[in-house]
Amino acid sequence: MAKSPSGKPSRSSLETFPNPNPKQDYTIRIRIPEFTCLCPKTGQPDFATLHLEYVPGALCVELKSLKLYVWSYRNVGAFHEAVTNQVLGDLVRLLTPRFARLTAEFNVRGGLYTTVVCEHRDLGWHPAPRVETPPEQPRSSS
């Protein structure tokens, strides 16, 4: 069994900016297709696509800093479940969003695909009911 590297992610690289519309609930979705960490059992790389969705409070995450933070996991040994919860926890501590969900879709390893989903919701926050609008009607070409 290989030893897992003792690398640590760099939370200090994460930066924020003020939410441009803090009174309005809206969802920010970020797809991060190049996440890599190391298997703590074998030391082999694990690859994943992360899907971050959040309803910001007062702050939003700056994208380049998020990229650098994600890259800091390249030499970190971590189980899928632990690393997904750690990333979401770091972002929640930084941003204090109304709601956040992180879905980590890991590539196949030993014939198995792993998807880990974790969520955070502020106490007392409830999303507004979804409004369904009728589909747009095709325009006639006459």
Side-chain angles (χ1 to χ4, degrees), residues 37-60:
C37 63
L38 299 175
C39 173
K41 292 278 192 180
T42 66
Q44 295 296 310
D46 281 324
F47 302 95
T49 296
L50 304 182
H51 301 271
L52 174 63
E53 300 174 72
Y54 71 102
V55 176
L59 299 171
C60 299

Side-chain angles (χ1 to χ4, degrees), residues 20-67:
N21 199 353
K23 293 181 181 179
Q24 175 69 42
D25 278 353
Y26 62 97
T27 303
I28 298 171
R29 292 188 177 100
I30 303 168
R31 184 172 172 264
I32 307 162
E34 298 176 349
F35 181 80
T36 306
C37 63
L38 299 175
C39 173
K41 292 278 192 180
T42 66
Q44 295 296 310
D46 281 324
F47 302 95
T49 296
L50 304 182
H51 301 271
L52 174 63
E53 300 174 72
Y54 71 102
V55 176
L59 299 171
C60 299
V61 69
E62 193 278 322
L63 294 179
K64 182 177 179 185
S65 76
L66 179 61
K67 175 182 74 170

Side-chain angles (χ1 to χ4, degrees), residues 2-104:
K3 285 187 176 183
S4 67
S6 60
K8 295 197 183 234
S10 177
R11 283 182 232 145
S12 63
S13 64
L14 285 169
E15 298 176 14
T16 63
F17 62 91
N19 179 352
N21 199 353
K23 293 181 181 179
Q24 175 69 42
D25 278 353
Y26 62 97
T27 303
I28 298 171
R29 292 188 177 100
I30 303 168
R31 184 172 172 264
I32 307 162
E34 298 176 349
F35 181 80
T36 306
C37 63
L38 299 175
C39 173
K41 292 278 192 180
T42 66
Q44 295 296 310
D46 281 324
F47 302 95
T49 296
L50 304 182
H51 301 271
L52 174 63
E53 300 174 72
Y54 71 102
V55 176
L59 299 171
C60 299
V61 69
E62 193 278 322
L63 294 179
K64 182 177 179 185
S65 76
L66 179 61
K67 175 182 74 170
L68 295 174
Y69 169 74
V70 165
W71 284 0
S72 75
Y73 278 90
R74 287 184 175 176
N75 293 317
V76 175
F79 290 105
H80 298 165
E81 300 81 0
V83 74
T84 306
N85 278 280
Q86 181 176 348
V87 169
L88 182 66
D90 287 348
L91 290 169
V92 166
R93 279 187 290 284
L94 178 75
L95 302 173
T96 60
R98 295 176 181 130
F99 172 81
R101 175 185 297 125
L102 182 64
T103 303

